[in-house]
Amino acid sequence: MRAYLVTSHDTPPEVTEVADPVPGPGEVALAIEACALNFADLLMIKGSYQDTPALPFAPGMEVCGTVTARGPGVNAPAIGTRVAVFGGAGGLAEMGCFPAERCVPVPEGMPSDIAAAFIVAYSTSHVALTHKARLKPGERLVVLGAAGGVGLTAVELGAKMGAEVVAVARGAEKLDLARDRGAAHVIDAEDPDLRGTIKALGGADVVYDAVGGDAFKAAFRATNADARILVIGFASGEVPQVKANHLLVKNVDLLGMYWGGYLRSKPLVITDSIATLFQMYGRGELRPHVSHRLPLDRVAEGLELMRARRSTGKVVIEMR
């Protein structure tokens, strides 16, 4: 089979022929149909992600595929079942082995590219807004990086939860997309007075930040009393530093949100979230957005689209 293989953190990965994988205890083998890219894949390739696998490895955190074999001790899902799974890595390949317990049967009628792009982005925002921030109807939710893979789902879910969503993104096309997904207000990320613009709208009750850097600093200064700030990621490349005493002034809660951590500490939170989201999709309540679909030999192009912030929603690699 072919795989996009990382053999060194100092040289670019390449599509390489490797042996077909064999599922071990608790695993299933999948014929992978689609793999969604995530910002974490860029960090893994550099060796700077908190869950970077040992070399050599194929990145690719979430996939959709069909079960072709089951390892020892695995009774489900059945061979031939089409599933989506967050495997953490290994998805940028024509085949892969993943924990059977994480495999979720794909709803009938859901295309493979949408299924691959669905779990991490939607469940990250769903868990962040419901379980962590406990977003309430009528609250003002400021989403930084609002047209990105997770940001756009935060806009969509926040609006469906009854929040007044303020979407911050770069450029008219991305702002129009956020507005289409339910944003009540849009702000260009290049606004020289982002803090002042958010304050003029009434300030932020909840901030959803997948960007970090200057955007975080501006949104932090625009928070209302008892605000909650969700720290999702650092697409800007800058991890903001917060002085603890500044949290006291307005009783602000700073909430770290690492979706993958719940798979280990509280897996039921993730299971319940995914079940709820698939039900919402089945009722036609969610509209996943994939801006680019590329073949395996163009993974580097897809990663660059993400790194340069030229994509919206998700970028998906299709194997067949």
Side-chain angles (χ1 to χ4, degrees):
M1 71 166 193
R2 297 186 307 149
Y4 185 72
L5 209 63
V6 179
T7 56
S8 165
H9 296 303
D10 301 317
T11 57
E14 293 182 345
V15 176
T16 307
E17 290 281 346
V18 297
D20 291 354
V22 177
E27 293 182 334
V28 294
L30 299 185
I32 297 172
E33 297 163 14
C35 175
L37 300 182
N38 289 275
F39 191 78
D41 292 317
L42 291 166
L43 301 179
M44 272 190 205
I45 290 168
K46 292 192 300 183
S48 58
Y49 190 59
Q50 58 261 33
D51 284 336
T52 298
L55 296 169
F57 69 92
M61 305 179 77
E62 51 182 337
V63 304
C64 175
T66 300
V67 178
T68 59
R70 298 186 298 196
V74 176
N75 299 314
I79 292 174
T81 304
R82 195 159 146 268
V83 299
V85 59
F86 173 83
L92 287 171
E94 292 176 327
M95 295 186 66
C97 294
F98 305 97
E101 63 182 9
R102 293 190 188 177
C103 292
V104 182
V106 173
E108 221 173 299
M110 181 183 251
S112 296
D113 61 327
I114 298 299
F118 190 85
I119 290 179
V120 173
Y122 273 101
S123 188
T124 293
S125 293
H126 184 254
V127 173
L129 295 177
T130 61
H131 181 75
K132 294 291 286 187
R134 292 177 171 81
L135 180 69
K136 304 180 191 68
E139 288 191 308
R140 193 169 297 105
L141 168 66
V142 174
V143 181
L144 306 178
V150 292
L152 191 60
T153 63
V155 171
E156 187 177 11
L157 290 170
K160 291 191 178 300
M161 292 171 68
E164 179 185 340
V165 180
V166 180
V168 181
R170 184 174 284 104
E173 181 184 354
K174 292 182 178 182
L175 294 175
D176 286 345
L177 180 60
R179 192 182 286 110
D180 179 68
R181 290 307 193 270
H185 313 280
V186 295
I187 304 173
D188 196 291
E190 300 293 342
D191 187 324
D193 185 18
L194 181 56
R195 171 184 177 270
T197 304
I198 295 172
K199 290 287 285 184
L201 293 172
D205 299 310
V206 175
V207 175
Y208 181 103
D209 177 30
V211 177
D214 290 339
F216 173 92
K217 297 170 189 174
F220 180 80
R221 295 175 63 209
T223 52
N224 295 326
D226 289 319
R228 288 89 76 204
I229 300 177
L230 291 158
V231 180
I232 307 296
F234 315 105
S236 68
E238 180 185 341
V239 179
Q241 305 300 305
V242 179
K243 293 184 178 179
N245 61 308
H246 290 182
L247 300 173
L248 305 182
V249 178
K250 291 187 270 188
N251 291 308
V252 172
D253 292 337
L254 194 61
L255 306 170
M257 170 61 205
Y258 172 42
W259 184 86
Y262 278 113
L263 290 172
R264 293 187 291 269
S265 63
K266 294 183 178 178
L268 193 58
V269 170
I270 300 299
T271 304
D272 290 347
S273 171
I274 293 170
T276 297
L277 291 163
F278 272 153
Q279 289 167 10
M280 293 175 70
Y281 178 86
R283 295 193 296 266
E285 296 174 12
L286 300 177
R287 292 186 293 147
H289 177 70
V290 176
S291 66
H292 295 81
R293 297 166 178 84
L294 300 168
L296 184 61
D297 58 8
R298 293 174 63 187
V299 172
E301 181 182 334
L303 291 168
E304 179 58 23
L305 285 167
M306 247 186 353
R307 189 199 63 76
R309 300 191 209 175
R310 296 201 303 271
S311 60
T312 54
K314 299 287 280 191
V315 177
V316 173
I317 304 302
E318 295 180 313
M319 305 304 160
R320 292 168 175 80

